[in-house]
Amino acid sequence: MLSRHQDPIVAIATAPGRGAVGIVRVSGRGLDRLVQALCGKALAPRVASYGPLRDADGGAIDHGLALHFPAPHSYTGEDVLELQAHGGPVVLQLLLARCLAAAAEIDPATGQPRLPGLRLAQPGEFTERAFLNDKIDLAQAEAIADLIDASTEAAARSASRSLAGEFSREVGELREALIHLRMLVEATLDFPEEEIDFLQKADAQGQLDRLQLRLGQVMQRTRQGALLREGIKVVIAGQPNAGKSSLLNALAGAELAIVTPIAGTTRDVVQQTIQIEGVPLHVIDTAGLREGEGIDEVERIGIARAWGQIEGADAVLLLHDLTRIGQPEYDAAEREIAATLESRLPARVPVIDVWNKADAGQALAPLATAGLEPLAGHAPHEQLRLSAKTGAGLDLLRKRLLELAGWQGGGEGLYIARERHVQALRQVGEHLELSALHLAQQAQSLDLLAEELRLAQNALNQITGAFSSDDLLGVIFSSFCIGK
């Protein structure tokens, strides 16, 4: 454990600004003397005590609740003191400053500082200590941040399940099965004359098959959980006045983007996160795509940003105006956009051709009418007909966006997950596939089999932090808020 993890820490644990209640939290070892200085008395463990929270002269900074959680029965596993006062920023800053000053003061009874080394906590340091003191594992620690940041009800409920340890239990079951298989293989290496019979009698192949099947089930739920957390980025693109801003407003159910008949009204990126069945979709409205004269510098920058968003999208809604299909100038511009998409859009990104303004009574024109051919190396465009004005066809579009995201429904019972968890499980799967190849070769590759199983366990351990580099921990906990 690093030396900084031995320091006592303090922070304001509630969000900045005014509120009914604010909390100052202290964590460390041996807080009794600090408690006496701040509260004027000892506190019963885990019992809220109301009274003055004292300054250096014994006067009251505020009256509030004080709670003392002796180690190890606390959030961090260390002694924890929580001061709950009125939630004004000045009051909380005064309490924070008093904690730091009181910790440095010499205690008359001992002749020593009350709490040597007390310092301001770094972002996420309280939760980091909970992890280091085995109160939670790494996946549970991440679930705390995910619960705070959840953008949908489904994501919040799933984060709560991860925090309760459901995801960690799934990973733990995989680890136990993997360790048991490793034990069998390692044992055979010590008795080479019996290794093949030993593995066959222990059903090593069957154990590996069941392990791969179980891994596939966990990966499927993990991908769904990651989708609940991350969502997908959907970019609405197309020519000016095709109805992009109207479609964003219709999907969001609010007037977020300005809509006018004037070409080039949208000059910059407008983004809104919506939820469909609890899945967050980050929908981005972009400037109309066009070339030629009559484009000022501001609109040109907006168009460049639009292409940047398109290149980084998870899905593109390519909007067409049914009322203008067949007009030579409009069709020519459509062909230019299609050609640029072919050169700049990654092949993995799906494109949905959305034929807007169906309320105008126009028939759905075939792709050939506008000169739109499937992009080389891309799947053929899907076609949907709708009206952003009346809402007709929006439900079908929402359903298709969920399908493109890979959502399979049934959010109840899912746990939240992160992309790094998905990647770690994918690595486990790759090592198990190689393990199966080596097991098939029997005696010739048992040492390689043992190594692949070891690497699979290492990848699995990255999820819960059974062992992990300090760099990984730093990245994870630095994203937390101070006081958590």
Side-chain angles (χ1 to χ4, degrees):
M1 187 178 292
L2 299 178
S3 58
R4 70 177 180 86
H5 296 143
Q6 308 295 329
D7 298 337
I9 55 176
V10 60
I12 298 173
T14 42
R18 299 172 61 190
V21 177
I23 298 175
V24 174
R25 177 181 290 163
V26 184
S27 181
R29 293 175 175 81
L31 301 185
D32 292 338
R33 291 191 293 273
L34 181 65
V35 170
Q36 185 69 40
L38 295 172
C39 302
K41 61 181 180 180
L43 299 177
R46 295 174 296 282
V47 176
S49 177
Y50 177 79
L53 306 175
R54 302 180 183 277
D55 60 18
D57 298 324
I61 297 174
D62 193 5
H63 286 73
L65 295 177
L67 296 98
H68 184 208
F69 302 90
H73 305 295
S74 70
Y75 177 69
T76 64
E78 303 172 334
D79 290 345
V80 170
L81 172 65
E82 285 194 358
L83 306 176
Q84 300 184 9
H86 293 94
V90 174
V91 173
L92 296 179
Q93 287 294 337
L94 286 173
L95 283 175
L96 180 64
R98 177 59 187 144
C99 288
L100 291 167
E105 292 172 356
I106 302 300
D107 180 53
T110 63
Q112 300 293 326
R114 291 192 176 95
L115 190 60
L118 180 66
R119 60 172 175 81
L120 293 175
Q122 297 178 9
E125 194 166 4
F126 287 93
T127 302
E128 184 181 17
R129 293 194 176 194
F131 164 71
L132 293 172
N133 292 322
D134 295 324
K135 303 296 289 186
I136 54 176
D137 63 32
L138 197 54
Q140 290 173 295
E142 291 171 309
I144 294 171
D146 294 337
L147 182 59
I148 294 170
D149 294 336
S151 59
T152 69
E153 180 182 348
R157 291 184 180 277
S158 297
S160 181
R161 294 186 193 98
S162 285
L163 178 56
E166 290 190 21
F167 182 35
S168 300
R169 281 192 289 273
E170 296 253 22
V171 173
E173 290 171 3
L174 284 173
R175 182 188 297 111
E176 291 302 315
L178 187 53
I179 290 173
H180 187 265
L181 184 56
R182 283 190 65 195
M183 177 188 67
L184 290 176
V185 175
E186 296 287 351
T188 62
L189 293 175
D190 293 332
F191 302 97
E193 68 280 0
E194 300 180 7
E195 57 189 11
I196 301 304
D197 289 341
F198 184 72
L199 285 178
Q200 289 177 346
K201 291 178 181 178
D203 190 26
Q205 184 64 60
Q207 290 191 40
L208 181 55
D209 291 342
R210 289 189 291 274
L211 183 56
Q212 288 179 297
L213 177 62
R214 180 63 174 156
L215 175 65
Q217 295 169 343
V218 174
M219 284 188 68
Q220 189 275 330
R221 284 195 291 275
T222 304
R223 283 192 292 265
Q224 296 288 288
L227 184 59
L228 276 179
R229 179 184 185 272
E230 308 288 348
I232 64 168
K233 177 181 175 182
V234 179
V235 175
I236 305 174
Q239 292 193 55
N241 277 349
K244 298 183 299 299
S245 297
S246 296
L247 180 57
L248 171 64
N249 292 344
L251 287 171
E255 296 296 320
L256 303 174
I258 298 173
V259 177
T260 75
I262 302 172
T265 297
T266 301
R267 299 296 188 96
D268 203 352
V269 170
V270 179
Q271 178 172 331
Q272 177 67 20
T273 297
I274 65 174
Q275 61 167 305
I276 305 175
E277 295 185 17
V279 178
L281 268 68
H282 313 295
V283 184
I284 299 171
D285 177 24
T286 58
L289 304 176
R290 61 172 174 169
E291 301 292 339
E293 299 179 358
I295 302 176
D296 60 32
E297 185 61 24
V298 175
E299 186 178 357
R300 197 178 306 279
I301 293 173
I303 293 172
R305 290 183 177 180
W307 281 112
Q309 293 291 337
I310 291 169
E311 290 173 348
D314 295 313
V316 173
L317 301 182
L318 188 57
L319 219 59
H320 310 286
D321 186 346
L322 277 170
T323 66
R324 288 188 282 169
I325 294 296
Q327 298 176 7
E329 184 178 348
Y330 178 82
D331 290 352
E334 292 284 83
R335 288 191 290 271
E336 289 182 9
I337 292 173
T340 308
L341 275 177
E342 182 175 345
S343 63
R344 300 183 64 165
L345 189 67
R348 62 172 177 80
V349 179
V351 177
I352 300 179
D353 282 300
V354 178
W355 302 82
N356 191 28
K357 304 185 182 179
D359 54 288
Q362 299 289 332
L364 176 58
L367 285 177
T369 302
L372 297 176
E373 301 294 339
L375 304 185
H378 292 70
H381 288 196
E382 298 184 55
Q383 300 185 56
L384 292 177
R385 187 168 182 253
L386 57 76
S387 168
K389 181 178 180 180
T390 67
L394 283 180
D395 287 342
L396 183 59
L397 176 59
R398 293 187 181 100
K399 179 181 178 182
R400 187 62 192 122
L401 286 173
L402 285 180
E403 292 172 352
L404 288 176
W407 182 246
Q408 298 176 5
E412 192 65 31
L414 285 180
Y415 40 71
I416 206 76
R418 298 189 172 200
E419 184 59 30
R420 81 168 190 91
H421 303 151
V422 176
Q423 295 297 328
L425 290 174
R426 188 172 291 125
Q427 292 178 24
V428 175
E430 292 170 355
H431 289 304
L432 291 185
E433 287 179 6
L434 291 173
S435 298
L437 293 176
H438 294 315
L439 183 58
Q441 296 175 5
Q442 299 186 355
Q444 296 90 333
S445 300
L446 283 186
D447 53 345
L448 297 176
L449 170 60
E451 177 63 11
E452 290 298 335
L453 292 176
R454 184 187 69 81
L455 293 174
Q457 185 180 345
N458 287 352
L460 202 59
N461 286 338
Q462 292 176 14
I463 296 175
T464 56
F467 56 83
S468 182
S469 68
D470 288 334
D471 289 340
L472 176 60
L473 296 183
V475 169
I476 289 172
F477 290 110
S478 65
S479 65
F480 281 60
C481 52
I482 295 174
K484 197 63 183 177

